[in-house]
Amino acid sequence: VSDWHEAIAVAVLDCAQEENFEVCKEFRIWDFNTGRFFVAHSSAADKGTIYRGADREVRSVRQLMVNILQNHSRTERPQSCPPLEPYNAAQLLPLLGQRSDHYTAIIVEEAGSFVGREVILDLLQFSGVEVRRALASDLPLLDVLNMAAFPSVYLLHPNGSHAPLHSEKPLRFFFSSLLRSLPGVQRRSSSEVAQTGALQDGGTSEPWRDFDRSQVYTADLESALHYLLRVELAAHGTLEGAELKVFKDFVTLVAKLYPVGGSVVKLMETLSDWLLGLPVELVLLGLIMHIYKNTGREISGVFLGAELRWVGCQGSRLGLRGYPCSLWTLFHVLTVQHDAAPAALDGSGLEGEAAPVLQVMRRYIRTFFGCKECGRHFEQAAAASMDQVTSREDEVLWLWNQHNRVNTRLAGGPGSLSDDPVSPKAPWPSPALCPACHEESNGVHVWNHANVLAFLRRHYGASNLNPRYSLTSPRLPAGAGPAQTRRPQEERPAAGGERRKGEDQVELRPIQPGPRRGEQAVLIQGEGGFWILGLGFTSVDMSLCVVLYGSSCLFLMLLFFFFKVRSRRCKLRHARLHV
């Protein structure tokens, strides 16, 4: 009931804690647990009313809260509490066919049902839809709406059209989820953000890409790897010891489990082979960036696009969704792929771990993820329950459950800076995507884990990856003539992508707006990547040439002086023997 807080709030007081003894004594709380409720606008001296219900079930307490609100008189009702009384045919029928600036949902139910009132309170934080309830005993209304099953929802659209709203199950959670997902419905705390069309014009420089929420887009996975390699890792300058081991494990994991294959796998395999063949346990990030940018010229098909292209993870404005969303998606895909092909990790050094994908994810987030607060939260969750993961099925479900916990913690309300009003954080999958995943027990929503697992395998499986918008490998035109020019696309830093304090800020900025330092500014237009004209030398190439040239000169000078001194000694020795 967290979305009800403007009308009725829930608080908990632990009377077993010594610092609360005086408060509990003042309110005469002698046995546990005790429920008290306070009406709106009550005085500070009010001690509240003790709840003496038949049971302590969640549904019973929730329905008590609804009754408390409805029993307020109109003048005493909380200011933000909407009307909970049923409407009649005379009040609702004139609305049919009328144009409006919002949806109107009419929930028709039996007299003893609480579904309508609970849905009204569930939508309290949302604009763009108004919910009203009516009773199944109102025959004139039923004759016009032609409804026979209860509870049911009848939806009036802003353009004046109206029809029943189909729901797989007549449950509160399904109704609330469907109404929240209507176009233009968003949380009131972000009401200044317009609908998607307006967001395209003023909120972000990126064009809005139409997508299907039932599919996973390879463009998101590629963009996650691109940001990870070119932005997040570039902040570190060098990798050695434990950090280098974490990076090697991540590259190996992606190379072995990335389901699509092609250029991404070739790139990761190339990086993995190069890292495993290193003679020293120290890597300059500049060399990795160099391999990442230029390997495709030497090995056919090794390519990862040089821009971010979010699709299923696109945000309505800068700083929302993007990289964090795509990183979650990448690891979801990898857990499902490991479940489908466990032998893929044989010989990688990771096959001995109980949950290799989760362990690599845990180490990567702890070591490299830019949002350090997010990393601490994830580490706490991993420390609390990851050791209970003993099978591949548990691995898939653990990550899904943890992702939902994070979404619940960050969802909505004042002060939530990462919740996108166009794609609000909510329990996933939604009833629209997986009706069989949702059930109700004693009036409380529960997950059917067997159906959730089947859904996750299908949703994140290789057959459900959509290549639309994917960045394809560029092809150099034959006899490359006059080049087209363009500016490299600017990176959008994800929320929480700050650099670590105290780290060396190495001048290895792989992507910056405008022409790059030390590189030719004229680029050949490709289909997603870019090629530098001329001989293809980058600033890293030139730096290596200068270092090698200087080292060679120094070595030759040392050889010259060595032989010069040795020659003089030989001459002196021969002269003495002759004498």
Side-chain angles (χ1 to χ4, degrees):
V1 296
S2 59
D3 283 330
W4 301 8
H5 71 267
E6 288 190 1
I8 183 168
V10 179
V12 177
L13 183 69
D14 186 358
C15 287
Q17 296 295 323
E18 187 174 352
E19 60 267 22
N20 296 329
F21 285 174
E22 290 301 320
V23 177
C24 297
K25 180 180 178 181
E26 179 185 354
F27 281 81
R28 298 179 178 275
I29 299 175
W30 310 124
D31 57 336
F32 315 108
N33 54 48
T34 294
R36 293 281 181 100
F37 61 87
F38 302 80
V39 297
H41 315 295
S42 58
S43 66
D46 186 3
K47 302 303 181 184
T49 303
I50 296 179
Y51 165 61
R52 300 188 185 279
D55 58 56
R56 303 298 177 94
E57 296 292 332
V58 171
R59 176 169 55 182
S60 301
V61 178
R62 193 178 67 228
Q63 292 175 356
L64 169 73
M65 294 170 64
V66 173
N67 286 331
I68 291 171
L69 286 173
Q70 192 166 357
N71 289 338
H72 281 77
S73 66
R74 189 174 298 274
T75 56
E76 294 176 344
R77 179 179 295 165
Q79 184 177 357
S80 300
C81 183
L84 300 176
E85 296 78 12
Y87 287 75
N88 56 41
Q91 295 169 308
L92 295 176
L93 292 179
L95 301 177
L96 301 184
Q98 297 294 319
R99 291 181 175 272
S100 175
D101 59 354
H102 60 268
Y103 293 92
T104 299
I106 303 173
I107 298 180
V108 184
E109 59 186 346
E110 301 289 352
S113 171
F114 282 83
V115 171
R117 287 168 285 184
E118 290 175 345
V119 173
I120 290 173
L121 292 169
D122 287 344
L123 274 293
L124 183 60
Q125 298 289 318
F126 290 78
S127 62
V129 61
E130 182 179 307
V131 184
R132 301 184 181 185
R133 59 183 288 255
L135 298 180
S137 57
D138 194 334
L139 297 181
L141 180 66
L142 298 188
D143 290 340
V144 176
L145 301 185
N146 193 24
M147 302 178 75
F150 312 105
S152 296
V153 180
Y154 198 87
L155 189 64
L156 313 185
H157 294 259
N159 62 4
S161 62
H162 49 89
L165 180 65
H166 174 70
S167 176
E168 292 290 338
K169 298 179 181 179
L171 301 176
R172 166 206 174 192
F173 185 85
F174 279 69
F175 292 161
S176 298
S177 179
L178 287 171
L179 294 177
R180 287 170 177 169
S181 64
L182 293 173
V185 175
Q186 53 191 354
R187 288 190 178 272
R188 294 184 186 276
S189 58
S190 301
S191 59
E192 72 278 358
V193 181
Q195 295 183 21
T196 300
L199 292 167
Q200 295 177 28
D201 300 330
T204 174
S205 58
E206 287 288 327
W208 184 264
R209 300 180 181 94
D210 294 329
F211 67 97
D212 183 352
R213 294 183 186 274
S214 66
Q215 293 187 317
V216 176
Y217 288 81
T218 56
D220 288 320
L221 306 181
E222 294 169 3
S223 295
L225 292 170
H226 169 82
Y227 188 96
L228 182 150
L229 289 171
R230 298 287 294 271
V231 179
E232 196 160 62
L233 278 171
H236 287 253
T238 61
L239 296 179
E240 58 182 324
E243 285 188 347
L244 181 57
K245 177 66 166 60
V246 171
F247 180 61
K248 285 180 179 179
D249 288 347
F250 174 81
V251 171
T252 300
L253 187 76
V254 177
K256 297 291 186 181
L257 293 180
Y258 194 80
V260 181
S263 59
V264 173
V265 171
K266 285 187 178 181
L267 173 63
M268 290 299 164
E269 287 176 345
T270 302
L271 276 176
S272 180
D273 292 343
W274 181 77
L275 289 167
L276 292 174
L278 285 175
V280 293
E281 289 295 308
L282 174 68
V283 174
L284 294 173
L285 264 296
L287 295 177
I288 293 178
M289 297 303 105
H290 172 64
I291 291 174
Y292 168 48
K293 290 187 289 185
N294 300 309
T295 301
R297 303 181 211 185
E298 290 83 32
I299 304 176
S300 174
V302 178
F303 176 78
L304 193 59
E307 64 177 79
L308 297 177
R309 190 175 291 181
W310 314 119
V311 184
C313 285
Q314 63 191 315
S316 60
R317 63 177 186 268
L318 293 176
L320 297 179
R321 308 190 78 220
Y323 175 59
C325 164
S326 65
L327 192 63
W328 277 110
T329 304
L330 175 63
F331 280 107
H332 281 301
V333 169
L334 295 179
T335 58
V336 168
Q337 188 64 16
H338 179 235
D339 177 49
L345 292 181
D346 289 351
S348 66
L350 299 172
E351 67 276 11
E353 300 191 50
V357 178
L358 295 184
Q359 295 296 346
V360 171
M361 179 183 185
R362 178 182 183 180
R363 293 192 290 265
Y364 178 86
I365 290 177
R366 182 172 56 206
T367 307
F368 296 116
F369 193 57
C371 175
K372 298 308 167 189
E373 183 179 358
C374 309
R376 285 192 295 272
H377 282 300
F378 189 84
E379 179 60 29
Q380 291 169 1
S385 59
M386 192 177 283
D387 60 345
Q388 301 171 14
V389 177
T390 57
S391 66
R392 298 188 302 276
E393 293 83 359
D394 289 346
E395 189 176 36
V396 175
L397 287 173
W398 188 93
L399 189 61
W400 159 79
N401 184 55
Q402 185 58 32
H403 196 173
N404 264 346
R405 286 174 177 268
V406 171
N407 281 344
T408 300
R409 189 178 74 246
L410 299 177
S416 177
L417 301 178
S418 61
D419 201 3
D420 193 326
V422 174
S423 300
K425 298 183 186 301
W428 190 90
S430 67
L433 281 178
C434 182
C437 296
H438 302 268
E439 294 180 355
E440 194 171 275
S441 175
N442 294 325
V444 179
H445 173 265
V446 294
W447 294 98
N448 184 314
H449 286 90
N451 291 337
V452 169
L453 180 61
F455 170 82
L456 294 173
R457 285 169 168 167
R458 181 175 63 254
H459 184 76
Y460 290 113
S463 61
N464 197 44
L465 298 184
N466 191 332
R468 187 184 179 194
Y469 303 113
S470 181
L471 295 165
T472 56
S473 179
R475 295 184 293 272
L476 279 172
Q484 304 176 32
T485 61
R486 67 183 177 97
R487 291 168 62 88
Q489 182 157 335
E490 181 179 356
E491 298 278 12
R492 294 211 314 265
E498 73 274 12
R499 297 177 185 266
R500 288 183 177 180
K501 294 181 181 179
E503 287 187 342
D504 294 332
Q505 302 301 315
V506 183
E507 288 292 323
L508 294 174
R509 300 172 184 172
I511 290 191
Q512 294 289 345
R516 304 180 176 201
R517 271 190 225 173
E519 297 180 352
Q520 295 163 317
V522 182
L523 309 177
I524 291 180
Q525 179 81 30
E527 294 182 12
F530 57 83
W531 299 95
I532 301 172
L533 286 182
L535 297 177
F537 288 118
T538 67
S539 58
V540 177
D541 296 324
M542 298 305 298
S543 300
L544 289 174
C545 287
V546 171
V547 171
L548 290 174
Y549 181 82
S551 301
S552 301
C553 290
L554 181 60
F555 179 73
L556 290 174
M557 290 176 65
L558 289 172
L559 280 178
F560 172 80
F561 285 115
F562 173 78
F563 285 111
K564 187 74 172 174
V565 171
R566 186 174 180 180
S567 175
R568 285 185 178 182
R569 287 179 178 176
C570 287
K571 286 181 179 180
L572 288 173
R573 188 181 306 159
H574 286 299
R576 288 171 182 167
L577 288 173
H578 179 72
V579 172

